[in-house]
Amino acid sequence: MMGLALAPARPYHWDKSTKRVGAMPKGSDLLVRALENEGVERVFGIPGEENLDVVESLRTSKIELVLTRHEQA
């Protein structure tokens, strides 16, 4: 019987600026960083399971998340 090799939850990479191994950023972190670079100040949306990573990345950024009640608000 063959054993299963489990991959790490987040892949690691060599960070040239700090010269050490670190976790690769998630796609949601890269998206929020791009929005910050474009000067976005606030985002409107509804948190849900599909965008929970984006909401968490927004929580730690300077961008304000404005919660709406539903899609028509």
Side-chain angles (χ1 to χ4, degrees), residues 1-7:
M1 193 160 142
M2 293 177 43
L4 296 175
L6 299 176

Side-chain angles (χ1 to χ4, degrees), residues 9-44:
R10 296 196 48 203
Y12 293 96
H13 75 291
W14 178 255
D15 189 347
K16 292 178 185 176
S17 62
T18 61
K19 297 192 180 343
R20 62 188 175 99
V21 174
M24 293 181 70
K26 295 189 299 183
S28 59
D29 294 334
L30 297 174
L31 172 68
V32 170
R33 191 179 311 161
L35 291 173
E36 287 176 337
N37 289 339
E38 291 297 322
V40 173
E41 296 177 357
R42 69 188 51 84
V43 173
F44 297 84

Side-chain angles (χ1 to χ4, degrees), residues 6 11 16 18 22 26 42-43 46 51 59-60 63 68-69 72:
L6 299 176
K16 292 178 185 176
T18 61
K26 295 189 299 183
R42 69 188 51 84
V43 173
I46 304 169
N51 63 355
R59 188 183 66 80
T60 58
I63 299 175
T68 57
R69 297 264 181 205
Q72 296 175 351

